[in-house]
Amino acid sequence: MPTLIRGGHVVTSAQGRLPAVIADGAVLVEGDLIAEVGDYPALRAAHPAAEVVGGPHDILTAGFVNTHGHFSEGLITGMAEEYTLWEWLEALIHRVDPHLDRQMAEVGTLMSGVQMLRSGITTTNDMFCSDPGRDAPLTPGVVNALDLLGLRGVLSFGAGDVGSDRGIEAEFEEHEALREAVAGSRRSLFRVGVGAVGGQSDAMFARSVAYATGLGVGVHIHLQEVREEVTATFQARGVTPTRFCAREGLFAAPTIAAHCVWVDRHDRELFAEHRVGVAHNPVSNMILASGAAPVAEFRALGVDVGIGVDGAASNDSQDMIQAIKAASLLARVHHQQATAMSAAEALELATIGGARALRLEESIGSLEVGKQADLVRFDGESPALACTHDPVQAVVNIAGSREVADVWVGGERVLRDGEVATVDVAEVVARARPLAAELVARAGLHHLSGWR
Ligand SMILES: [Zn+2]
């Protein structure tokens, strides 16, 4: 039976073919696809048997596309706030890297994934950053968790051989294990992760390029998040990380690059030339004091920009609505202009912009016929949204996760009246607590943690 999802305001994120906002509209979902989008009364009359969800005051948007995150950080949230990126990597992330196991990968993903669903994320682009699994590959645990949640994943392993005693083969075994698990998954896609240019030897980088281009899959990389990275690569390789990627052929694979804060004009032009997508992570960039990415400059060049929540150890929330608002606010502070990024632009980045940056705009990112039925229903009965004048400003500047009533991924209602419908959240939490304590103990991080 088809479902007719109704909203007083249907914010389509469609560009050109549909109005940006349809008043008293609805989306007809058949199977996993959007079958029709239009006026509610007309669709209701044409489909009298359809189940109706939603009401005349609700707001519907396309599902949010989170363009950058790390499920490897799901159990180490809210620690080590006083560091900038490289210090933070040393104090926290690299301490944890050798100690993750597959169960931690799965439960950490469930913990982050639940928060993502509650904030309207329907697709998440992740890079699992850790040492390769010792006893067994870790990343199949991520795939398993996303299949349980019903969340759509674009999944990569953030490989790097510099400073590792494991060798290049172990890194590629983890890639392959992830690729195999994704092939059997419900909704996930595989990408080749390159942790960062500085994390790979020349030999490994060349192999990463050949691996991605040979398979015809995309790449997920961190690029020029902090000045130190640019300086170090310039000293070691004579060019910026972006120029190095272009020169060595990485951008022949569809690439999404996270952060891109410390980029110059030539770097930005290379992004445009090679259609590299940018994952902008405003909250994480503020927490780590990395800076403000030049989003307006990228967009002026036609570069596709999406928004990311980033990992649960650097944001530390996994709340997309907060990240969308932060994108708009950070741009305003950065440029000292109230017009620097409107709510509409921030919402565009979070939906169709992110889909484009991942080159998935044909199947997700907007409420249009033929696309995957990935939708968010915001509760118009909530006091925060009950007097909505502008639905876009309402979603970006007023709403929080508590206003997210329903989420559909591929037509499956994975969040129902504010509750995750696919997993038992209390059970996930009960599994996570001892694992988080164990991970902190294994990594020797008691000095950073309240677990004493
Ligand atoms: Zn990252």
Side-chain angles (χ1 to χ4, degrees), residues 68 70 222 225 258-259 310:
H68 186 63
H70 301 285
H222 293 99
E225 179 172 358
H259 306 298
D310 207 350

Side-chain angles (χ1 to χ4, degrees), residues 86-401:
W86 283 26
E87 301 156 348
W88 171 84
L89 288 169
E90 197 179 312
L92 181 63
I93 300 301
H94 294 162
R95 299 281 293 272
V96 168
D97 281 348
H99 301 291
L100 286 161
D101 61 31
R102 187 181 293 188
Q103 193 191 1
M104 289 169 173
E106 179 171 325
V107 176
T109 302
L110 289 169
M111 289 289 275
S112 289
V114 162
Q115 299 171 63
M116 288 179 182
L117 288 178
R118 284 180 172 166
S119 71
I121 292 171
T122 53
T123 296
T124 191
N125 180 46
D126 197 78
M127 183 194 287
F128 196 92
C129 283
S130 71
D131 290 4
R134 280 172 201 273
D135 305 324
L138 307 176
T139 46
V142 175
V143 178
N144 222 9
L146 292 192
D147 277 356
L148 291 171
L149 289 163
L151 188 55
R152 199 182 296 286
V154 182
L155 303 178
S156 62
F157 171 65
D161 61 328
V162 172
S164 164
D165 57 357
R166 304 288 303 283
I168 294 177
E169 280 320 311
E171 304 282 333
F172 277 86
E173 280 166 21
E174 188 71 52
H175 280 315
E176 276 296 296
L178 173 60
R179 189 165 78 92
E180 204 173 291
V182 161
S185 76
R186 294 171 69 196
R187 299 191 175 116
S188 289
L189 296 169
F190 172 75
R191 280 195 170 219
V192 176
V194 176
V197 164
Q200 297 204 355
S201 63
D202 285 350
M204 182 164 185
F205 195 85
R207 190 164 157 189
S208 298
V209 171
Y211 184 55
T213 53
L215 289 171
V217 299
V219 166
H220 185 184
I221 188 171
H222 293 99
L223 270 181
Q224 296 176 221
E225 179 172 358
V226 291
R227 176 183 266 163
E228 293 89 331
E229 180 194 346
V230 182
T231 306
T233 300
F234 208 88
Q235 286 177 325
R237 285 164 158 152
V239 286
T240 68
T242 298
R243 291 190 263 309
F244 183 79
C245 290
R247 189 182 81 191
E248 301 302 317
L250 188 74
F251 294 158
T255 301
I256 185 163
H259 306 298
C260 315
V261 175
W262 292 89
V263 286
D264 66 15
R265 187 185 171 83
H266 186 186
D267 293 327
R268 293 196 294 272
E269 285 169 354
L270 287 170
F271 277 67
E273 184 185 328
H274 296 281
R275 214 199 141 183
V276 175
V278 170
H280 173 46
N281 302 276
V283 177
S284 154
N285 290 163
M286 286 192 274
I287 285 191
L288 293 165
S290 302
V295 173
E297 287 90 337
F298 275 125
R299 291 189 31 97
L301 288 170
V303 173
D304 298 316
V305 180
I307 292 172
V309 296
D310 207 350
S314 73
N315 176 308
D316 293 66
S317 160
Q318 300 289 277
D319 187 322
M320 186 69 173
I321 301 168
Q322 200 182 69
I324 299 168
K325 183 171 184 176
S328 170
L329 299 187
L330 178 58
R332 289 164 195 236
V333 172
H334 182 48
H335 295 283
Q336 298 190 358
Q337 285 174 0
T339 53
M341 188 188 291
S342 66
E345 187 178 0
L347 192 63
E348 181 196 327
L349 298 188
T351 53
I352 191 66
R356 281 212 184 93
L358 287 165
R359 303 209 194 177
L360 293 173
E361 71 274 19
E362 295 300 323
S363 57
I364 61 169
S366 62
L367 301 179
E368 292 179 89
V369 172
K371 285 199 179 184
Q372 288 287 310
D374 293 2
L375 291 88
V376 185
R377 180 175 72 87
F378 288 85
D379 179 11
E381 300 307 321
S382 160
L385 302 182
C387 306
T388 290
H389 302 290
D390 173 342
V392 174
Q393 290 189 53
V395 167
V396 174
N397 289 331
I398 306 173
S401 277

